Amino acid sequence: MSQTYEDFSKYGKEFADTGLKSFASLSKGVQTIASEATEYTKKSFENGAAHFEKLLSAKSLENAVELQSDYAKQAYEAFVAEATKISELYADLAKDAYKPFESLTAKAK
């Protein structure tokens, strides 16, 4: 009976430690994602403001349409690149958060 209690206590401690490691990884990953999203938003806003200034100084309607087309293309490409980067960060976050539990699942098998 004493051995069973000790085993249970040991596994409980391991699970708690693993949970804390996982939470630390999760917290770090979320901070990274939030920081990346903030930087993208800041750059996007700055690019939009710069574009608006260029648009106001357009000499003709044709020039304005060309500027707008270029901006739309650049904004789309930047969005796709950022979405890809964020999705990779989320995938890394999931892997890092699960990693501490791999040893426990291996022991359970």
Side-chain angles (χ1 to χ4, degrees), residues 15-62:
F15 187 76
D17 290 343
T18 302
L20 288 174
K21 288 177 187 175
S22 177
F23 182 74
S25 294
L26 190 65
S27 178
K28 181 181 171 191
V30 168
Q31 286 177 336
T32 302
I33 291 168
S35 174
E36 187 64 36
T38 301
E39 281 299 311
Y40 171 72
T41 302
K42 182 180 173 185
K43 278 191 241 175
S44 180
F45 182 76
E46 289 170 354
N47 290 342
H51 168 68
F52 187 69
E53 287 179 17
K54 284 182 187 178
L55 205 56
L56 288 176
S57 67
K59 305 227 187 284
S60 67
L61 181 61
E62 184 177 292

Side-chain angles (χ1 to χ4, degrees), residues 3 6 8 11 13-15 25-28 34 38 41 46 49 53 59-60 68 73 92 98 102 105-106 109:
Q3 185 64 29
E6 289 173 10
F8 182 73
Y11 291 130
K13 183 180 180 321
E14 285 180 25
F15 187 76
S25 294
L26 190 65
S27 178
K28 181 181 171 191
T38 301
T41 302
E46 289 170 354
E53 287 179 17
K59 305 227 187 284
S60 67
Q68 184 63 27
K73 181 180 176 188
D92 291 343
Y98 176 72
E102 288 176 343
T105 57
K109 291 181 181 178

